[in-house]
Amino acid sequence: MLVAGLAVQVLIAKILRLCWIVLWRPYAMIKSFEKQGIRGPSYSILHGTLPEMKSLLKAANETVLDTTCNDIAPRVQPHYCRWSAEYGEVFLFWRGVQPAIRIADPKLAKQILSDKSGAYAQPQFDHRLLSFAGNGVGQLNGPDWVRHRSILTPAFTKDKLKLMAKRMAACTMDMADDWKRRARTADHHQCITIEMSEEFKKLTCDIITHTAFGSNHVEGGEVFKAQDELIHHCIATMADLYIPGSRFLPTPSNRQMWKMENKVNSSLRRLIQGRLESAQAKGDSDGCYGDDVLGLLVEASKTTNKSLKLTMGEIIDECKQFFFSGHETTAKLLTWTIFLLSLHQEWQERLREEVLTECGTGTPDADMVPKLKLMNMVILETLRLYCPVLETLKETSKATNLGDFLIPKGVFITIQLVQLHRSREYWGEDANDFNPLRFRNGVSQAAKHPNAFLSFGMGPRTCLGQNFAMLEVKLVLSLLLQRFSFLLSPEYKHAPANYLTMEPQYGVPTAVKLLPSE
Ligand code: HEM
């Protein structure tokens, strides 16, 4: 009787909690936001505003834009465009039962991103994201985040980047040599058609594998291949409603995910173990575990300093995170830069001239890169118009004042970069035009507000790999512009899409021609 009574009590408590999450909290939250003038699309029980978002995205994905149109927000985030037109700049929407508000204002963005009190934390994502992205520095909060960030920061010092530049250039030369071979055997004026997004994905995978795993890049490449499969499997289910606990059910999809996750984790464990053993075999107990990122992480597992120590599980998570954050984003930036340079031939010519003047025809290195001023402007303009990361997400860890609003605890705040980067108020009437010269006096002077450009975020959680990404993109572009010219293929369909990063839905088929000097 006692056990049955307890069971009934637990059941009632669970039902009440469910009612609170699904009904009462949304109702109270909507009322509290309404009082502050924040409205939004209607909440539907359990699903929130996901159904409307999914149907708007589905319709948008069936459209194709004019190739010269940079006004891409209605295609990549049609739900935000619809809701901001109806409810104003700041509005409330629902990711299932999770309340979220959207902002696209640089002053509010600055307040959130420069906060050091922990009021705007990294949201705790569902298991699908953690399984492929890793519960690494980008997902952690509080002292764990401080520890991981201090361990990883030295991976991106000037000296380390110089070393990495050599590996980046070598990987790019392999790709360029392959293009050259294909162009030389092509019967059509040494011109071949290459789908840029796939090609750059392979290249950035190669680069990140070499920089992460150094001499173990072959085994590392296999791990990342398995992780890539896992990423694609998980992304396919991301827009579905996530029911807490459902990850433990042995559904076919979950079973496949567990298998892939196990493969990634056990291979990474073997690699880490291998590093430890080879340092031991050399009698190197103080550890020279390698000058790559894995070496740095393994070293952190051996230290006696608790504030700089990592466990095996944490190293695995950081390796996954390094791959996840480091290659898709950079691949997309390269793809969209080549797209814009193919459309704007005059800029392609200007950049080629700059590369030949500053670097000659030899292999550019990390010291030459800062001299490429025009290239820097073109990359920034690409980041503004086709930002690989479309939005930055935070979660309030306590009731917090944001501008004139009081945001309760547990609300997601999404900073919509796509909209912020093309706000006429801050960027002027030509906000949707490709105009790299707007960056001639630097990022902070390019718009009417210094924080209207947030491709890499800002403040304490600013992108850790920003210098790595910029160096990589500049080196790759320099090496390619020295050898090839680019023109959009007539098959190209302009269809930027939100696929976790800004993806060209039908790729970017490009006519690549060997320069006469080659
Ligand atoms: C074009 C390329 C890239 C873009 C546009 C980009 C953008 C971003 C953005 C917007 C954030 C989030 C800031 C926030 O949450 O407030 C971020 C964080 C991060 N990025 Fe990048 N990123 C790029 C490349 C890279 C690369 C190449 C790496 C590593 C090799 C990297 C590693 C990270 C890490 C570790 C974080 C988390 C930092 C933290 O929370 O402390 N990123 N990035």
Side-chain angles (χ1 to χ4, degrees):
M1 283 285 281
L2 193 67
V3 173
L6 270 175
V8 170
Q9 273 186 27
V10 170
L11 190 69
I12 291 173
K14 290 258 177 229
I15 292 171
L16 286 177
R17 171 137 182 91
L18 191 70
C19 290
W20 183 77
I21 292 173
V22 172
L23 292 169
W24 175 245
R25 187 167 91 130
Y27 175 78
M29 197 73 88
I30 290 166
K31 288 285 157 216
S32 134
F33 275 117
E34 263 175 9
K35 276 192 203 144
Q36 305 183 54
I38 299 179
R39 297 173 309 123
S42 318
Y43 166 80
S44 82
I45 292 178
L46 214 59
H47 294 275
T49 49
L50 285 176
E52 189 180 352
M53 176 181 132
K54 273 171 101 172
S55 83
L56 287 168
L57 275 169
K58 188 167 177 287
N61 278 355
E62 282 158 16
T63 61
V64 172
L65 302 178
D66 185 273
T67 306
T68 55
C69 170
N70 295 317
D71 185 11
I72 59 171
R75 191 178 197 283
V76 295
Q77 290 173 325
H79 46 301
Y80 291 159
C81 292
R82 160 81 63 89
W83 297 334
S84 64
E86 213 162 317
Y87 306 107
E89 274 298 292
V90 180
F91 56 82
L92 172 70
F93 64 105
W94 296 84
R95 296 165 166 247
V97 293
Q98 172 63 52
I101 64 166
R102 171 276 205 184
I103 64 152
D105 177 276
K107 296 185 275 318
L108 296 181
K110 182 180 176 196
Q111 191 187 332
I112 295 167
L113 297 178
S114 53
D115 174 78
K116 288 189 181 141
S117 72
Y120 303 98
Q122 289 306 94
Q124 294 312 293
F125 287 108
D126 75 44
H127 177 75
R128 288 168 293 189
L129 193 100
L130 294 186
S131 72
F132 66 81
N135 195 17
V137 62
Q139 264 69 54
L140 296 170
N141 284 306
D144 279 339
W145 170 73
V146 174
R147 179 167 52 91
H148 282 239
R149 183 117 188 165
S150 340
I151 292 167
L152 282 162
T153 301
F156 300 100
T157 56
K158 251 191 175 162
D159 288 345
K160 286 266 160 51
L161 286 176
K162 269 190 185 173
L163 252 179
M164 291 177 184
K166 293 200 175 102
R167 291 179 173 144
M168 290 170 181
C171 294
T172 313
M173 287 301 286
D174 285 346
M175 183 185 80
D177 286 345
D178 177 48
W179 289 9
K180 243 190 214 177
R181 261 193 306 277
R182 285 158 61 189
R184 285 201 177 119
T185 49
D187 44 3
H188 211 71
H189 308 294
Q190 304 205 322
C191 183
I192 46 174
T193 301
I194 291 180
E195 201 290 276
M196 287 297 159
S197 69
E198 271 307 307
E199 205 71 6
F200 283 139
K201 198 175 150 181
K202 277 189 254 159
L203 174 65
T204 54
C205 270
D206 201 21
I207 290 177
I208 206 90
T209 310
H210 275 81
T211 42
F213 296 119
S215 56
N216 294 114
H217 64 91
V218 178
E219 304 97 299
E222 287 302 311
V223 179
F224 282 163
K225 219 157 105 204
Q227 192 183 343
D228 208 37
E229 273 176 45
L230 181 62
I231 292 175
H232 282 93
H233 177 80
C234 294
I235 288 178
T237 64
M238 285 297 278
D240 296 338
L241 179 69
Y242 178 65
I243 299 167
S246 59
R247 68 186 162 109
F248 299 111
L249 299 176
T251 59
S253 162
N254 278 348
R255 280 213 300 270
Q256 202 184 343
M257 201 171 92
W258 296 336
K259 208 170 133 197
M260 291 191 268
E261 212 180 332
N262 271 339
K263 188 174 166 187
V264 174
N265 290 352
S266 54
S267 312
L268 281 172
R269 200 166 286 124
R270 265 199 308 279
L271 269 171
I272 297 163
Q273 208 56 48
R275 282 291 169 97
L276 287 167
E277 282 162 16
S278 75
Q280 215 172 21
K282 285 184 211 151
D284 206 350
S285 57
D286 277 351
C288 180
Y289 300 100
D291 63 359
D292 48 23
V293 175
L294 185 65
L296 190 94
L297 295 172
V298 173
E299 201 177 322
S301 73
K302 300 307 286 178
T303 176
T304 47
N305 181 346
K306 267 189 175 171
S307 62
L308 290 173
K309 195 171 176 68
L310 288 180
T311 64
M312 174 76 96
E314 287 173 329
I315 299 178
I316 291 178
D317 275 323
E318 284 306 346
C319 287
K320 287 190 195 174
Q321 175 116 124
F322 189 72
F323 177 71
F324 175 69
S325 346
H327 89 286
E328 284 278 357
T329 43
T330 322
K332 296 298 149 41
L333 176 54
L334 277 165
T335 304
W336 290 114
T337 312
I338 288 288
F339 161 75
L340 286 166
L341 288 178
S342 300
L343 267 185
H344 300 275
Q345 289 287 320
E346 72 289 3
W347 274 100
Q348 188 181 142
E349 223 20 77
R350 285 174 84 171
L351 291 206
R352 186 170 294 112
E353 255 176 56
E354 183 180 66
V355 172
L356 292 173
T357 310
E358 301 298 345
C359 316
T361 50
T363 309
D365 60 32
D367 292 328
M368 294 172 181
V369 159
K371 297 180 191 151
L372 303 171
K373 306 278 183 226
L374 290 175
M375 184 179 286
N376 193 46
M377 290 181 221
V378 166
I379 296 169
L380 292 173
E381 185 65 339
T382 311
L383 279 166
R384 183 182 75 85
L385 289 170
Y386 294 87
C387 44
V389 177
L390 289 85
E391 55 193 300
T392 303
L393 203 58
K394 303 287 166 203
E395 181 179 2
T396 47
S397 63
K398 54 182 183 193
T400 304
N401 285 311
L402 174 62
D404 295 334
F405 306 118
L406 177 65
I407 313 292
K409 179 182 170 184
V411 174
F412 279 9
I413 303 175
T414 181
I415 304 169
Q416 191 195 357
L417 303 184
V418 179
Q419 202 59 48
L420 174 67
H421 285 179
R422 36 179 53 74
S423 151
R424 287 206 160 81
E425 186 183 345
Y426 297 105
W427 293 96
E429 281 311 302
D430 71 343
N432 271 311
D433 296 348
F434 174 74
N435 174 17
L437 289 176
R438 70 175 89 239
F439 285 101
R440 67 179 155 254
N441 296 322
V443 169
S444 60
Q445 301 292 314
K448 287 193 190 120
H449 192 285
N451 304 111
F453 176 86
L454 287 175
S455 273
F456 291 107
M458 64 163 289
R461 299 208 71 135
T462 192
C463 174
L464 199 52
Q466 174 171 355
N467 294 338
F468 176 102
M470 289 301 272
L471 175 66
E472 178 178 351
V473 171
K474 287 175 187 172
L475 283 173
V476 174
L477 286 176
S478 305
L479 282 158
L480 295 181
L481 287 166
Q482 282 173 332
R483 290 161 177 79
F484 306 98
S485 65
F486 302 91
L487 194 65
L488 270 185
S489 153
E491 294 148 39
Y492 175 71
K493 286 196 260 180
H494 194 38
N498 182 359
Y499 193 67
L500 229 54
T501 52
M502 179 86 75
E503 175 121 348
Q505 195 172 328
Y506 306 106
V508 181
T510 308
V512 178
K513 196 170 177 189
L514 207 53
L515 291 177
S517 52
E518 292 293 310

